[in-house]
């Protein structure tokens, strides 16, 4: 009988979407939590986790210089205080990966919208140094040069910028720079060789893991050395950027395998423990254009037999991606020029371009004379939300332990909608003074709102204790929450 009761209890918990292992509180301290996964959600009733699609803001940069062109790709944007830096492969004609015609180009912007290509005077191309090239004649590094701004507090100031680049033949080579413009090899030999690397291989310093983390191209059946199966992702870590761990293959839960041409994994600046992967999903032989249509667009004949779009994944570290959202995050746009091979490839990193706005950039019209980068916008933390219809519903978190004294939410409601918050103990009982009947009814659309109960915002008495948050929503979206000091 005890056994049957236990099984019955487990079934009831599963049916109610409540984790039976949720009794161990999750330490979130003062981290911001966004809803790109369901890791902290215990129960959803009448609400859903909803992915939000960025808004197309138009073209911001054309690959129009003689040394750039149709096959410019593998772009990275870095926000360094009030300056945005953009790096990308420049090459006009298709050719073997890692040939000497490939260069690494640079552009910069004060607002992420208006870009300039400075004449840097570093490398001579076609008899002139009046160009925006920061790396040339370092075969095959410019094929997939992937830089980052090192957030390691112990990093050498002369190596504030770092990068990895290379192919399977060369291995990944390490580059360093003090200013993000003048680059040199860290050492002559590669720092990591156990991968296929035929993509953009991303790297960053993880504040949460206290390690350098690299995500790189492998194949689902060929593993770390052969081109077999699906294009996939491996991971390796390092304490010093030079010595890297044995690689592991990333997992995707129960999601079906996709060809991930790029994965573009990087920490989200407002919640750096969350790694966002806005990658390119490649659909081999899924042809949209006819040869005649491709000829009109002047698409290279080898690059219209497939199509691709952008997907949204996430990770909290380790070798697991969360694929809560299988559907496309950014669909190809209107017009046949958007339906060619290797187009719609997201630029590495999401950046904040206004007090209320994030920007995502996408490499579009690949293999065409019109190749360019387009900007897409979304609200801060607005990748996904807990969404409630007009009839309302609620979401309950798993037991959490926080540090701080007030609860901040990022939310929006309709004129008829609202948000209320109740705080429960670890057993799910409402805590006196923080019941839903005590909660101020929140109406509006704000990036930052402090929650109150009977005009009280102070949660110091609950800090360090296991609690659950119960969000009551009606015609509303909750984008994030965090506890403030």
């Amino acid at each position: 009988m005890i056994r049957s009761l236990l099984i019955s209890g487990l079934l009831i918990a599963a049916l109610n979407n409540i984790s039976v292992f949720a009794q161990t509180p999750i330490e979130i301290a003062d981290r911001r939590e966004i809803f790109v996964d369901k890791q902290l959600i215990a129960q959803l009733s009448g609400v859903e986790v909803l992915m939000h699609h960025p808004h197309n803001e138009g073209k911001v940069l054309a690959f129009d210089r003689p040394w750039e062109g149709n096959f410019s790709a593998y772009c990275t944007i870095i926000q360094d205080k009030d300056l945005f830096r953009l790096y990308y492969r420049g090459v006009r004609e298709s050719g073997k990966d890692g040939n000497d015609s490939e260069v690494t180009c640079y552009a910069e912007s004060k607002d992420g919208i208006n870009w300039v290509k400075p004449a840097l005077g570093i490398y001579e191309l076609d008899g002139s140094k009046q160009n925006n090239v920061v790396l040339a004649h370092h075969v095959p590094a410019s094929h997939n040069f992937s830089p980052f701004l090192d957030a390691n507090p112990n990093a050498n100031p002369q190596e504030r910028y770092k990068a990895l680049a290379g192919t399977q033949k060369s291995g990944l080579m390490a580059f360093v720079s003090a200013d993000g413009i003048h680059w040199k090899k860290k050492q002559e030999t590669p720092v990591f060789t156990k991968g296929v690397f035929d993509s953009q291989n991303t790297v960053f310093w993880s504040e949460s893991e206290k390690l350098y983390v690299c995500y790189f191209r492998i194949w689902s059946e060929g593993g770390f050395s052969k081109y077999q199966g699906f294009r996939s992702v491996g991971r390796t870590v390092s304490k010093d950027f030079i010595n890297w761990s044995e690689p592991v293959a990333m997992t995707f839960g129960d999601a079906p395998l996709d060809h991930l041409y790029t994965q573009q994994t990087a920490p989200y600046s407002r919640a750096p423990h969350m790694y966002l992967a806005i990658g390119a999903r490649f659909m081999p032989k899924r042809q949209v254009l006819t040869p005649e249509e491709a000829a009109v667009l002047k698409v290279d004949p080898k690059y219209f037999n497939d199509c691709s779009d952008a997907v949204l994944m996430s990770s909290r570290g380790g070798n697991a991606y969360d694929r809560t959202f299988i559907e496309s995050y950014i669909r190809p746009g209107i017009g046949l020029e958007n339906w060619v091979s290797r187009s719609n490839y997201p630029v590495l990193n999401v950046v904040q371009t206004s007090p209320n706005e994030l920007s995502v950039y996408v490499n579009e019209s690949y293999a065409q004379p019109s190749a360019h980068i387009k900007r897409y916008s979304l609200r801060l933390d607005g990748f996904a939300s807990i969404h409630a219809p007009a009839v309302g519903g609620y979401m309950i978190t798993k037991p959490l332990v926080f540090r701080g004294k007030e609860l901040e939410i990022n939310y929006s409601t309709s004129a008829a909608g609202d948000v209320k918050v109740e705080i429960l103990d670890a057993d799910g009982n409402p805590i006196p003074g923080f019941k839903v009947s005590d909660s101020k009814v929140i109406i509006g659309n704000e990036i930052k709102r402090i929650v109150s109960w009977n005009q009280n915002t102070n949660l110091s008495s609950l800090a360090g204790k296991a609690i659950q948050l119960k969000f009551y929503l009606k015609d509303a979206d909750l984008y994030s929450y965090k506890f403030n000091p």
Side-chain angles (χ1 to χ4, degrees), residues 30-34 36 207-208 266-276 315-316 381 383 480-482:
D30 58 355
R31 298 194 309 252
R32 187 182 312 278
E33 294 295 341
I34 57 178
V36 291
E207 294 181 19
S208 57
Y268 173 44
S269 60
R270 284 170 52 87
H273 67 291
M274 296 297 305
Y275 307 158
L276 299 181
S315 177
R316 291 176 179 260
D381 311 332
F383 307 97
S480 69
Y481 65 91
K482 74 182 295 287

PDB file of all heavy atoms in Angstrom, residues 30-34 36 207-208 266-276 315-316 381 383 480-482:
ATOM      1  N   ASP A  30      21.625  36.923  -5.805  1.00  0.00           N
ATOM      2  CA  ASP A  30      20.976  38.100  -6.406  1.00  0.00           C
ATOM      3  C   ASP A  30      21.039  38.044  -7.925  1.00  0.00           C
ATOM      4  O   ASP A  30      21.015  39.070  -8.598  1.00  0.00           O
ATOM      5  CB  ASP A  30      21.618  39.386  -5.884  1.00  0.00           C
ATOM      6  CG  ASP A  30      23.114  39.451  -6.154  1.00  0.00           C
ATOM      7  OD1 ASP A  30      23.686  38.460  -6.672  1.00  0.00           O
ATOM      8  OD2 ASP A  30      23.732  40.487  -5.854  1.00  0.00           O
ATOM      9  N   ARG A  31      21.104  36.812  -8.484  1.00  0.00           N
ATOM     10  CA  ARG A  31      21.142  36.657  -9.928  1.00  0.00           C
ATOM     11  C   ARG A  31      19.801  37.031 -10.560  1.00  0.00           C
ATOM     12  O   ARG A  31      18.744  36.809  -9.981  1.00  0.00           O
ATOM     13  CB  ARG A  31      21.456  35.203 -10.320  1.00  0.00           C
ATOM     14  CG  ARG A  31      22.797  34.679  -9.878  1.00  0.00           C
ATOM     15  CD  ARG A  31      23.116  33.388 -10.618  1.00  0.00           C
ATOM     16  NE  ARG A  31      22.040  32.409 -10.549  1.00  0.00           N
ATOM     17  CZ  ARG A  31      22.083  31.293  -9.834  1.00  0.00           C
ATOM     18  NH1 ARG A  31      23.144  31.027  -9.089  1.00  0.00           N
ATOM     19  NH2 ARG A  31      21.073  30.438  -9.847  1.00  0.00           N
ATOM     20  N   ARG A  32      19.874  37.566 -11.757  1.00  0.00           N
ATOM     21  CA  ARG A  32      18.660  37.785 -12.545  1.00  0.00           C
ATOM     22  C   ARG A  32      18.295  36.476 -13.235  1.00  0.00           C
ATOM     23  O   ARG A  32      19.152  35.810 -13.816  1.00  0.00           O
ATOM     24  CB  ARG A  32      18.906  38.867 -13.601  1.00  0.00           C
ATOM     25  CG  ARG A  32      17.648  39.280 -14.368  1.00  0.00           C
ATOM     26  CD  ARG A  32      17.977  40.320 -15.437  1.00  0.00           C
ATOM     27  NE  ARG A  32      18.789  41.387 -14.898  1.00  0.00           N
ATOM     28  CZ  ARG A  32      18.318  42.432 -14.209  1.00  0.00           C
ATOM     29  NH1 ARG A  32      17.020  42.523 -13.973  1.00  0.00           N
ATOM     30  NH2 ARG A  32      19.136  43.361 -13.754  1.00  0.00           N
ATOM     31  N   GLU A  33      17.027  36.115 -13.163  1.00  0.00           N
ATOM     32  CA  GLU A  33      16.569  34.891 -13.809  1.00  0.00           C
ATOM     33  C   GLU A  33      15.637  35.244 -14.960  1.00  0.00           C
ATOM     34  O   GLU A  33      14.682  36.004 -14.802  1.00  0.00           O
ATOM     35  CB  GLU A  33      15.860  33.972 -12.811  1.00  0.00           C
ATOM     36  CG  GLU A  33      16.776  33.427 -11.715  1.00  0.00           C
ATOM     37  CD  GLU A  33      17.862  32.500 -12.247  1.00  0.00           C
ATOM     38  OE1 GLU A  33      17.707  31.997 -13.386  1.00  0.00           O
ATOM     39  OE2 GLU A  33      18.859  32.274 -11.534  1.00  0.00           O
ATOM     40  N   ILE A  34      15.945  34.695 -16.138  1.00  0.00           N
ATOM     41  CA  ILE A  34      15.132  34.888 -17.328  1.00  0.00           C
ATOM     42  C   ILE A  34      14.495  33.543 -17.686  1.00  0.00           C
ATOM     43  O   ILE A  34      14.827  32.506 -17.092  1.00  0.00           O
ATOM     44  CB  ILE A  34      15.954  35.458 -18.491  1.00  0.00           C
ATOM     45  CG1 ILE A  34      17.161  34.543 -18.813  1.00  0.00           C
ATOM     46  CG2 ILE A  34      16.441  36.871 -18.160  1.00  0.00           C
ATOM     47  CD1 ILE A  34      17.995  35.009 -19.985  1.00  0.00           C
ATOM     48  N   VAL A  36      14.404  31.525 -20.515  1.00  0.00           N
ATOM     49  CA  VAL A  36      14.805  30.770 -21.704  1.00  0.00           C
ATOM     50  C   VAL A  36      14.856  29.270 -21.417  1.00  0.00           C
ATOM     51  O   VAL A  36      15.062  28.474 -22.331  1.00  0.00           O
ATOM     52  CB  VAL A  36      16.167  31.262 -22.236  1.00  0.00           C
ATOM     53  CG1 VAL A  36      16.035  32.661 -22.816  1.00  0.00           C
ATOM     54  CG2 VAL A  36      17.232  31.225 -21.149  1.00  0.00           C
ATOM     55  N   GLU A 207      32.029  33.951 -15.682  1.00  0.00           N
ATOM     56  CA  GLU A 207      32.025  34.440 -14.301  1.00  0.00           C
ATOM     57  C   GLU A 207      31.487  33.386 -13.342  1.00  0.00           C
ATOM     58  O   GLU A 207      31.933  33.295 -12.194  1.00  0.00           O
ATOM     59  CB  GLU A 207      31.180  35.709 -14.198  1.00  0.00           C
ATOM     60  CG  GLU A 207      31.748  36.899 -14.944  1.00  0.00           C
ATOM     61  CD  GLU A 207      30.888  38.133 -14.779  1.00  0.00           C
ATOM     62  OE1 GLU A 207      30.072  38.182 -13.836  1.00  0.00           O
ATOM     63  OE2 GLU A 207      31.019  39.053 -15.620  1.00  0.00           O
ATOM     64  N   SER A 208      30.523  32.608 -13.788  1.00  0.00           N
ATOM     65  CA  SER A 208      29.909  31.621 -12.905  1.00  0.00           C
ATOM     66  C   SER A 208      30.774  30.372 -12.732  1.00  0.00           C
ATOM     67  O   SER A 208      30.834  29.798 -11.639  1.00  0.00           O
ATOM     68  CB  SER A 208      28.530  31.226 -13.430  1.00  0.00           C
ATOM     69  OG  SER A 208      28.605  30.735 -14.755  1.00  0.00           O
ATOM     70  N   ALA A 266      27.283  32.462 -25.708  1.00  0.00           N
ATOM     71  CA  ALA A 266      27.943  33.528 -24.954  1.00  0.00           C
ATOM     72  C   ALA A 266      27.088  33.894 -23.750  1.00  0.00           C
ATOM     73  O   ALA A 266      25.863  33.719 -23.773  1.00  0.00           O
ATOM     74  CB  ALA A 266      28.150  34.764 -25.846  1.00  0.00           C
ATOM     75  N   PRO A 267      27.695  34.429 -22.687  1.00  0.00           N
ATOM     76  CA  PRO A 267      26.909  34.830 -21.518  1.00  0.00           C
ATOM     77  C   PRO A 267      26.015  36.025 -21.847  1.00  0.00           C
ATOM     78  O   PRO A 267      26.397  36.907 -22.617  1.00  0.00           O
ATOM     79  CB  PRO A 267      27.980  35.234 -20.486  1.00  0.00           C
ATOM     80  CG  PRO A 267      29.273  34.706 -21.006  1.00  0.00           C
ATOM     81  CD  PRO A 267      29.142  34.640 -22.489  1.00  0.00           C
ATOM     82  N   TYR A 268      24.833  36.040 -21.263  1.00  0.00           N
ATOM     83  CA  TYR A 268      23.949  37.196 -21.371  1.00  0.00           C
ATOM     84  C   TYR A 268      24.384  38.222 -20.336  1.00  0.00           C
ATOM     85  O   TYR A 268      24.483  37.911 -19.152  1.00  0.00           O
ATOM     86  CB  TYR A 268      22.502  36.773 -21.148  1.00  0.00           C
ATOM     87  CG  TYR A 268      21.512  37.904 -21.080  1.00  0.00           C
ATOM     88  CD1 TYR A 268      21.572  38.960 -21.993  1.00  0.00           C
ATOM     89  CD2 TYR A 268      20.522  37.935 -20.109  1.00  0.00           C
ATOM     90  CE1 TYR A 268      20.661  40.006 -21.929  1.00  0.00           C
ATOM     91  CE2 TYR A 268      19.611  38.974 -20.044  1.00  0.00           C
ATOM     92  CZ  TYR A 268      19.683  40.011 -20.946  1.00  0.00           C
ATOM     93  OH  TYR A 268      18.799  41.057 -20.879  1.00  0.00           O
ATOM     94  N   SER A 269      24.653  39.447 -20.759  1.00  0.00           N
ATOM     95  CA  SER A 269      25.302  40.440 -19.897  1.00  0.00           C
ATOM     96  C   SER A 269      24.523  40.735 -18.623  1.00  0.00           C
ATOM     97  O   SER A 269      25.117  40.997 -17.576  1.00  0.00           O
ATOM     98  CB  SER A 269      25.517  41.746 -20.682  1.00  0.00           C
ATOM     99  OG  SER A 269      24.270  42.270 -21.136  1.00  0.00           O
ATOM    100  N   ARG A 270      23.197  40.701 -18.656  1.00  0.00           N
ATOM    101  CA  ARG A 270      22.393  41.009 -17.471  1.00  0.00           C
ATOM    102  C   ARG A 270      22.171  39.786 -16.578  1.00  0.00           C
ATOM    103  O   ARG A 270      21.662  39.925 -15.461  1.00  0.00           O
ATOM    104  CB  ARG A 270      21.047  41.597 -17.899  1.00  0.00           C
ATOM    105  CG  ARG A 270      21.161  43.043 -18.346  1.00  0.00           C
ATOM    106  CD  ARG A 270      19.895  43.560 -18.983  1.00  0.00           C
ATOM    107  NE  ARG A 270      18.671  43.385 -18.219  1.00  0.00           N
ATOM    108  CZ  ARG A 270      18.207  44.233 -17.301  1.00  0.00           C
ATOM    109  NH1 ARG A 270      18.905  45.323 -16.997  1.00  0.00           N
ATOM    110  NH2 ARG A 270      17.049  43.999 -16.691  1.00  0.00           N
ATOM    111  N   ALA A 271      22.573  38.626 -17.054  1.00  0.00           N
ATOM    112  CA  ALA A 271      22.477  37.393 -16.276  1.00  0.00           C
ATOM    113  C   ALA A 271      23.595  36.470 -16.745  1.00  0.00           C
ATOM    114  O   ALA A 271      23.356  35.477 -17.432  1.00  0.00           O
ATOM    115  CB  ALA A 271      21.108  36.744 -16.472  1.00  0.00           C
ATOM    116  N   PRO A 272      24.849  36.788 -16.411  1.00  0.00           N
ATOM    117  CA  PRO A 272      25.987  36.084 -17.020  1.00  0.00           C
ATOM    118  C   PRO A 272      26.100  34.607 -16.684  1.00  0.00           C
ATOM    119  O   PRO A 272      26.890  33.905 -17.324  1.00  0.00           O
ATOM    120  CB  PRO A 272      27.199  36.887 -16.499  1.00  0.00           C
ATOM    121  CG  PRO A 272      26.712  37.638 -15.318  1.00  0.00           C
ATOM    122  CD  PRO A 272      25.267  37.905 -15.556  1.00  0.00           C
ATOM    123  N   HIS A 273      25.324  34.120 -15.725  1.00  0.00           N
ATOM    124  CA  HIS A 273      25.312  32.673 -15.482  1.00  0.00           C
ATOM    125  C   HIS A 273      24.492  31.941 -16.540  1.00  0.00           C
ATOM    126  O   HIS A 273      24.571  30.717 -16.654  1.00  0.00           O
ATOM    127  CB  HIS A 273      24.733  32.364 -14.098  1.00  0.00           C
ATOM    128  CG  HIS A 273      23.277  32.692 -13.970  1.00  0.00           C
ATOM    129  ND1 HIS A 273      22.815  33.986 -13.969  1.00  0.00           N
ATOM    130  CD2 HIS A 273      22.174  31.899 -13.842  1.00  0.00           C
ATOM    131  CE1 HIS A 273      21.496  33.972 -13.838  1.00  0.00           C
ATOM    132  NE2 HIS A 273      21.081  32.735 -13.776  1.00  0.00           N
ATOM    133  N   MET A 274      23.719  32.711 -17.325  1.00  0.00           N
ATOM    134  CA  MET A 274      22.938  32.139 -18.414  1.00  0.00           C
ATOM    135  C   MET A 274      23.691  32.337 -19.730  1.00  0.00           C
ATOM    136  O   MET A 274      23.985  33.457 -20.122  1.00  0.00           O
ATOM    137  CB  MET A 274      21.568  32.819 -18.520  1.00  0.00           C
ATOM    138  CG  MET A 274      20.666  32.622 -17.321  1.00  0.00           C
ATOM    139  SD  MET A 274      20.204  30.879 -17.044  1.00  0.00           S
ATOM    140  CE  MET A 274      19.488  30.426 -18.620  1.00  0.00           C
ATOM    141  N   TYR A 275      24.017  31.249 -20.392  1.00  0.00           N
ATOM    142  CA  TYR A 275      24.658  31.321 -21.693  1.00  0.00           C
ATOM    143  C   TYR A 275      23.562  31.208 -22.764  1.00  0.00           C
ATOM    144  O   TYR A 275      22.797  30.242 -22.786  1.00  0.00           O
ATOM    145  CB  TYR A 275      25.649  30.184 -21.900  1.00  0.00           C
ATOM    146  CG  TYR A 275      26.681  30.018 -20.814  1.00  0.00           C
ATOM    147  CD1 TYR A 275      27.331  28.797 -20.644  1.00  0.00           C
ATOM    148  CD2 TYR A 275      27.007  31.052 -19.932  1.00  0.00           C
ATOM    149  CE1 TYR A 275      28.282  28.613 -19.663  1.00  0.00           C
ATOM    150  CE2 TYR A 275      27.958  30.879 -18.936  1.00  0.00           C
ATOM    151  CZ  TYR A 275      28.587  29.648 -18.798  1.00  0.00           C
ATOM    152  OH  TYR A 275      29.517  29.466 -17.812  1.00  0.00           O
ATOM    153  N   LEU A 276      23.486  32.198 -23.621  1.00  0.00           N
ATOM    154  CA  LEU A 276      22.533  32.174 -24.714  1.00  0.00           C
ATOM    155  C   LEU A 276      23.235  31.724 -25.991  1.00  0.00           C
ATOM    156  O   LEU A 276      24.343  32.171 -26.291  1.00  0.00           O
ATOM    157  CB  LEU A 276      21.910  33.548 -24.924  1.00  0.00           C
ATOM    158  CG  LEU A 276      21.115  34.110 -23.745  1.00  0.00           C
ATOM    159  CD1 LEU A 276      20.526  35.466 -24.104  1.00  0.00           C
ATOM    160  CD2 LEU A 276      20.016  33.148 -23.323  1.00  0.00           C
ATOM    161  N   SER A 315      22.167  27.540 -21.894  1.00  0.00           N
ATOM    162  CA  SER A 315      22.887  26.609 -21.029  1.00  0.00           C
ATOM    163  C   SER A 315      23.216  27.311 -19.730  1.00  0.00           C
ATOM    164  O   SER A 315      23.443  28.527 -19.708  1.00  0.00           O
ATOM    165  CB  SER A 315      24.176  26.120 -21.701  1.00  0.00           C
ATOM    166  OG  SER A 315      24.906  25.271 -20.837  1.00  0.00           O
ATOM    167  N   ARG A 316      23.230  26.555 -18.656  1.00  0.00           N
ATOM    168  CA  ARG A 316      23.670  27.072 -17.354  1.00  0.00           C
ATOM    169  C   ARG A 316      25.044  26.515 -16.998  1.00  0.00           C
ATOM    170  O   ARG A 316      25.421  26.463 -15.838  1.00  0.00           O
ATOM    171  CB  ARG A 316      22.647  26.721 -16.271  1.00  0.00           C
ATOM    172  CG  ARG A 316      21.324  27.471 -16.409  1.00  0.00           C
ATOM    173  CD  ARG A 316      20.295  27.028 -15.386  1.00  0.00           C
ATOM    174  NE  ARG A 316      19.060  27.788 -15.527  1.00  0.00           N
ATOM    175  CZ  ARG A 316      18.718  28.828 -14.761  1.00  0.00           C
ATOM    176  NH1 ARG A 316      19.523  29.217 -13.787  1.00  0.00           N
ATOM    177  NH2 ARG A 316      17.581  29.466 -14.954  1.00  0.00           N
ATOM    178  N   ASP A 381      15.849  41.594 -21.457  1.00  0.00           N
ATOM    179  CA  ASP A 381      15.425  40.289 -20.923  1.00  0.00           C
ATOM    180  C   ASP A 381      14.285  39.676 -21.732  1.00  0.00           C
ATOM    181  O   ASP A 381      13.706  38.665 -21.313  1.00  0.00           O
ATOM    182  CB  ASP A 381      14.973  40.382 -19.452  1.00  0.00           C
ATOM    183  CG  ASP A 381      15.943  41.110 -18.557  1.00  0.00           C
ATOM    184  OD1 ASP A 381      17.147  41.099 -18.866  1.00  0.00           O
ATOM    185  OD2 ASP A 381      15.500  41.705 -17.555  1.00  0.00           O
ATOM    186  N   PHE A 383      13.712  37.747 -24.253  1.00  0.00           N
ATOM    187  CA  PHE A 383      13.829  36.563 -25.100  1.00  0.00           C
ATOM    188  C   PHE A 383      12.583  35.678 -24.972  1.00  0.00           C
ATOM    189  O   PHE A 383      12.124  35.081 -25.940  1.00  0.00           O
ATOM    190  CB  PHE A 383      15.073  35.759 -24.713  1.00  0.00           C
ATOM    191  CG  PHE A 383      16.326  36.575 -24.687  1.00  0.00           C
ATOM    192  CD1 PHE A 383      16.814  37.094 -23.491  1.00  0.00           C
ATOM    193  CD2 PHE A 383      17.011  36.852 -25.857  1.00  0.00           C
ATOM    194  CE1 PHE A 383      17.969  37.864 -23.466  1.00  0.00           C
ATOM    195  CE2 PHE A 383      18.163  37.619 -25.846  1.00  0.00           C
ATOM    196  CZ  PHE A 383      18.641  38.125 -24.642  1.00  0.00           C
ATOM    197  N   SER A 480      11.537  38.685 -16.368  1.00  0.00           N
ATOM    198  CA  SER A 480      12.645  38.325 -15.484  1.00  0.00           C
ATOM    199  C   SER A 480      12.317  38.745 -14.066  1.00  0.00           C
ATOM    200  O   SER A 480      11.425  39.557 -13.825  1.00  0.00           O
ATOM    201  CB  SER A 480      13.959  38.975 -15.944  1.00  0.00           C
ATOM    202  OG  SER A 480      13.920  40.380 -15.761  1.00  0.00           O
ATOM    203  N   TYR A 481      13.109  38.204 -13.140  1.00  0.00           N
ATOM    204  CA  TYR A 481      13.032  38.654 -11.745  1.00  0.00           C
ATOM    205  C   TYR A 481      14.400  38.512 -11.103  1.00  0.00           C
ATOM    206  O   TYR A 481      15.228  37.714 -11.550  1.00  0.00           O
ATOM    207  CB  TYR A 481      11.972  37.869 -10.952  1.00  0.00           C
ATOM    208  CG  TYR A 481      12.276  36.391 -10.784  1.00  0.00           C
ATOM    209  CD1 TYR A 481      12.983  35.912  -9.681  1.00  0.00           C
ATOM    210  CD2 TYR A 481      11.848  35.462 -11.734  1.00  0.00           C
ATOM    211  CE1 TYR A 481      13.251  34.567  -9.534  1.00  0.00           C
ATOM    212  CE2 TYR A 481      12.114  34.114 -11.589  1.00  0.00           C
ATOM    213  CZ  TYR A 481      12.819  33.658 -10.476  1.00  0.00           C
ATOM    214  OH  TYR A 481      13.085  32.317 -10.334  1.00  0.00           O
ATOM    215  N   LYS A 482      14.650  39.295 -10.084  1.00  0.00           N
ATOM    216  CA  LYS A 482      15.884  39.176  -9.314  1.00  0.00           C
ATOM    217  C   LYS A 482      15.689  39.829  -7.967  1.00  0.00           C
ATOM    218  O   LYS A 482      14.802  40.675  -7.782  1.00  0.00           O
ATOM    219  CB  LYS A 482      17.068  39.812 -10.039  1.00  0.00           C
ATOM    220  CG  LYS A 482      17.073  41.341 -10.045  1.00  0.00           C
ATOM    221  CD  LYS A 482      18.277  41.901 -10.832  1.00  0.00           C
ATOM    222  CE  LYS A 482      19.609  41.581 -10.193  1.00  0.00           C
ATOM    223  NZ  LYS A 482      19.869  42.369  -8.976  1.00  0.00           N
TER     224      LYS A 482
END
